[in-house]
Amino acid sequence: MSEMLVLIDHSDDGPRKVSLQMLTKARELAEITGDTVAAVWFGPGAADAAPTLGAYGAGKLYHWDSADAYGYVTLPQVEALEYLIDTSEADTLLFASSNHVKDVASRLAIRMEAGVITDVSGIELAEDGRWVATKEVFGGDMITKSTFAEGKLSFLGVSSNAFPAVESNGASPELVAIDIDLTEEAKAAQVVSVEKVAGADRPDIGEAAVVVAGGRGLGSEDGFQLMEQLADMIGAGVGASRAATDAGWYPHRYQIGQTGRTISPTLYLGSGISGAIKHRAGMQTSQNIVAINKDAEAPIFQIADFGVVGDLYKIVPKLVEELEARK
Amino acid sequence: MKVVVPVKRTPDTAGEKVIDADSLTVDREAGESVLCPVNEFSIEEAVRLKEKHGAEVTVLVVGPEEAQPTVRKALSYGLDAGLQITDEAIAGSDALGTARVIAAALEATEFDLVVFGGQSTDARTSLVPAAVAELLGLPSLTYTRYLEVDGETITVHREHEEGWDVVTASLPAVVSVVEAINEPRYPSFKGIMAAKSKPLETKSLADLGVSADEVGAGAASATMYEFAPRPPKEAGTVIEDDGSGAAAAQLADWLVEKKFV
């Protein structure tokens, strides 16, 4: 019997969805192993989030309520987790497989000689007690299973939307405050300021359940106003193909594809995107795919669950109206 | 100022990907292999550091003899020298093992800044830059959309879900870049010709003082043991709009039926 740590990824508004998905999965696994699920929260806000974290499966909540946790790059969280793993019975860590959190897991794995598997979409317990992780590689072309070397601490990076988030009526967890003194090394890279971009109130495309995406077929940056209108109606994030970001119609940070973001939403709705392989590598693991394109031969239709061949400027405004009427 | 750009050789996204069933590693000869597209951005940033600060840039690749064209390709963008780490014992390394080799290569090299690309197009773990920084005890300034070097200080903008963090640190440092950082140029004809005669050094693990049992499949702390191609997707419904947008109603019905709205 040991502890399974779940590193909670959160914004100022509370835990991100992936954190609740991880807790749900951890609870399910802990029922088999008899482990305790312990959430880990860095920065202020732990007490407010505690009831929610408990409801999704956290039996314990370690929190380090210090501005230092995010005042320097990566290492404060590495040092806090190292302290926690050293002083607890933890041998498994679940973390959100997003960019900045992967850095924490990577540095910690080197420090503690742990094994780390990222972008995990399935976790099972093997007969010998080791974790088996499912992971998709080559932009989703290949599905693999991996496991950890014997006796290694196991760090599992969980993909957004890989698991459902299900409440379990769990009680509010026991709160355990930790406090550590950072080393000088941990303060070497200082966060001077945080710049938030416009549109940050829209869900991030990496974690959104629904992503609306636009491409070359939009013809101009004005087309993205239409995409945003549709997205805001259904609570979606907005992404773009590289053709659209390279044309300057939408910022690079929203590019979906081999050199941009990889997304796996429950629904991807692409307009004016032909679905070249370089784009598909970033979105073909989406659970449902809808495509609107004027070219019936566009490759996107080969992977679409629902496709509409036609003029997106006729179809999308009409779709917004139709959805409004069904609300 | 000395800059090192580690690059990766990856299977062409549009090509066939084959995993060798015996070694459980990517068969890089089965399909066409290319300089990983994310490296176009790290190379371009290094070229800009050359133009602005007169940086001397070395491209670093870990890989077998066959990876040499990848080094030459990287040099064709105008970088100064190549360093290739080749050793049979490296095959089968996980991301952390690869990071150990890169870190050892860097320890044997003079540098102020290491510039990685973003997530590689094959394994996409993104673990290597931070792991290398950890092994070297340096800051990991990853997912950088803007960077500026002023004397001994580096300032970067690290992209995240809500925007970016402005971060400062002292050199030496390890950075990785995202696509937003620049617009890569193509190699010039002159660059392609010059790349053929640029110095290229090859080193083995022994040259770096790394023992063979620290890397490779045997040292991997996480191992892939089973793989299968993604099953083909069943064909969905495709309808044609008559030009009036009327098909939108059917799509809306589908979205409601599937409970997306």
Side-chain angles (χ1 to χ4, degrees):
Chain A
M1 164 123 174
S2 54
E3 266 179 8
M4 194 183 296
L5 297 180
V6 178
L7 176 58
I8 302 299
D9 192 19
H10 62 86
S11 66
D12 294 345
D13 303 325
R16 289 187 201 281
K17 223 172 47 186
V18 65
S19 300
L20 306 181
Q21 293 163 352
M22 286 193 290
L23 283 173
T24 304
K25 188 66 188 176
R27 189 180 82 221
E28 181 193 315
L29 297 169
E31 272 169 27
I32 308 169
T33 60
D35 290 349
T36 308
V37 176
V40 181
W41 183 287
F42 295 139
D48 290 343
T52 305
L53 301 176
Y56 282 88
K60 201 188 243 187
L61 175 56
Y62 292 110
H63 62 106
W64 181 34
D65 189 2
S66 166
D68 278 356
Y70 292 96
Y72 305 96
V73 175
T74 308
L75 282 172
Q77 301 188 41
V78 171
E79 294 191 350
L81 283 168
E82 187 182 14
Y83 165 81
L84 263 179
I85 292 172
D86 277 341
T87 56
S88 72
E89 296 291 304
D91 55 15
T92 300
L93 169 71
L94 266 58
F95 63 95
S97 204
S98 59
N99 289 344
H100 289 227
V101 192
K102 278 178 174 177
D103 279 13
V104 174
S106 177
R107 295 195 77 133
L108 186 65
I110 291 287
R111 219 171 256 218
M112 307 197 79
E113 293 186 18
V116 49
I117 304 175
T118 62
D119 306 277
V120 166
S121 59
I123 308 171
E124 297 156 273
L125 187 68
E127 274 177 23
D128 64 3
R130 285 188 275 174
W131 299 116
V132 169
T134 307
K135 168 183 166 101
E136 311 197 23
V137 297
F138 300 132
D141 281 356
M142 197 89 82
I143 299 167
T144 68
K145 289 201 168 174
S146 304
T147 193
F148 296 95
E150 194 153 4
K152 291 279 182 189
L153 289 168
S154 304
F155 298 169
L156 292 147
V158 175
S159 290
S160 264
N161 303 317
F163 306 117
V166 184
E167 283 192 63
S168 70
N169 304 317
S172 202
E174 174 198 351
L175 279 141
V176 182
I178 61 166
D179 194 16
I180 60 160
D181 290 323
L182 291 181
T183 62
E184 280 311 305
E185 186 197 352
K187 297 179 182 174
Q190 193 183 359
V191 179
V192 182
S193 63
V194 181
E195 307 291 329
K196 299 218 172 170
V197 295
D201 48 343
R202 222 167 260 132
D204 174 62
I205 55 173
E207 72 166 343
V210 182
V211 171
V212 166
R216 192 190 301 275
L218 291 180
S220 74
E221 67 179 296
D222 298 340
F224 277 94
Q225 285 173 16
L226 188 58
M227 294 298 106
E228 289 181 347
Q229 197 189 348
L230 173 61
D232 291 345
M233 163 132 245
I234 55 180
V238 178
S241 71
R242 185 159 175 195
T245 57
D246 276 356
W249 301 341
Y250 216 56
H252 281 286
R253 57 185 286 113
Y254 301 110
Q255 198 243 119
I256 299 162
Q258 71 163 8
T259 58
R261 305 281 299 270
T262 308
I263 60 165
S264 309
T266 7
L267 173 68
Y268 162 98
L269 200 161
S271 299
I273 291 179
S274 67
I277 180 77
K278 290 173 183 179
H279 181 70
R280 295 210 305 272
M283 52 59 75
Q284 66 178 348
T285 56
S286 304
Q287 288 162 34
N288 290 277
I289 295 170
V290 171
I292 302 171
N293 201 296
K294 66 178 190 314
D295 175 11
E297 302 300 316
I300 191 89
F301 288 123
Q302 289 162 19
I303 56 165
D305 298 277
F306 197 101
V308 185
V309 180
D311 179 356
L312 73 94
Y313 280 104
K314 294 270 165 53
I315 297 160
V316 178
K318 200 77 188 260
L319 178 62
V320 173
E321 270 175 44
E322 294 282 347
L323 290 173
E324 181 71 49
R326 283 164 175 78
K327 267 203 159 174
Chain B
M1 178 181 192
K2 289 188 163 50
V3 175
V4 178
V5 181
V7 301
K8 190 172 186 184
R9 180 166 168 262
T10 55
D12 187 356
T13 302
E16 194 186 356
K17 292 95 178 180
V18 177
I19 294 180
D20 179 70
D22 293 326
S23 68
L24 291 171
T25 55
V26 178
D27 183 346
R28 295 184 202 271
E29 309 319 313
E32 200 187 340
S33 286
V34 297
L35 173 68
C36 186
V38 301
N39 289 131
E40 289 171 21
F41 302 94
S42 52
I43 290 169
E44 172 66 30
E45 205 55 28
V47 171
R48 291 180 186 202
L49 289 166
K50 254 179 94 67
E51 289 166 349
K52 202 168 170 193
H53 300 285
E56 216 175 284
V57 186
T58 302
V59 57
L60 168 65
V61 75
V62 176
E65 194 75 359
E66 292 79 13
Q68 220 193 83
T70 305
V71 184
R72 295 286 177 205
K73 173 80 196 276
L75 289 171
S76 72
Y77 289 86
L79 310 188
D80 301 301
L83 173 58
Q84 183 174 359
I85 312 301
T86 298
D87 203 303
E88 275 177 21
I90 296 169
S93 296
D94 62 359
L96 303 183
T98 304
R100 284 200 168 83
V101 178
I102 294 174
L106 288 166
E107 263 172 357
T109 312
E110 258 183 77
F111 68 91
D112 302 289
L113 190 63
V114 182
V115 186
F116 279 95
Q119 199 174 50
S120 70
T121 57
D122 50 0
R124 307 200 81 135
T125 71
S126 301
L127 292 172
V128 171
V132 167
E134 179 65 29
L135 288 160
L136 298 171
L138 297 177
S140 41
L141 310 175
T142 46
Y143 315 108
T144 291
R145 69 192 309 282
Y146 168 85
L147 78 80
E148 193 181 287
V149 174
D150 182 11
E152 289 300 300
T153 305
I154 180 166
T155 301
V156 302
H157 295 177
R158 294 185 74 217
E159 193 158 85
H160 53 65
E161 288 86 347
E162 279 125 24
W164 57 83
D165 291 347
V166 179
V167 172
T168 60
S170 293
L171 296 177
V174 174
V175 306
S176 79
V177 302
V178 293
E179 199 193 61
I181 196 165
N182 58 42
E183 209 168 303
R185 283 165 282 188
Y186 293 105
S188 64
F189 179 70
K190 201 176 133 212
I192 294 166
M193 294 314 286
K196 293 177 181 162
S197 54
K198 294 270 173 75
L200 169 60
E201 197 183 351
T202 304
K203 287 185 177 176
S204 67
L205 288 180
D207 294 334
L208 300 176
V210 176
S211 139
D213 55 17
E214 288 176 58
V215 298
S221 49
T223 316
M224 189 269 286
Y225 66 93
E226 197 181 292
F227 62 92
R230 184 177 191 76
K233 213 173 160 168
E234 270 177 57
T237 312
V238 178
I239 58 170
E240 206 148 325
D241 184 60
D242 60 9
S244 68
Q250 272 171 273
L251 173 53
D253 287 340
W254 186 86
L255 292 171
V256 171
E257 183 198 313
K258 291 273 183 177
K259 299 195 165 56
F260 291 124
V261 283

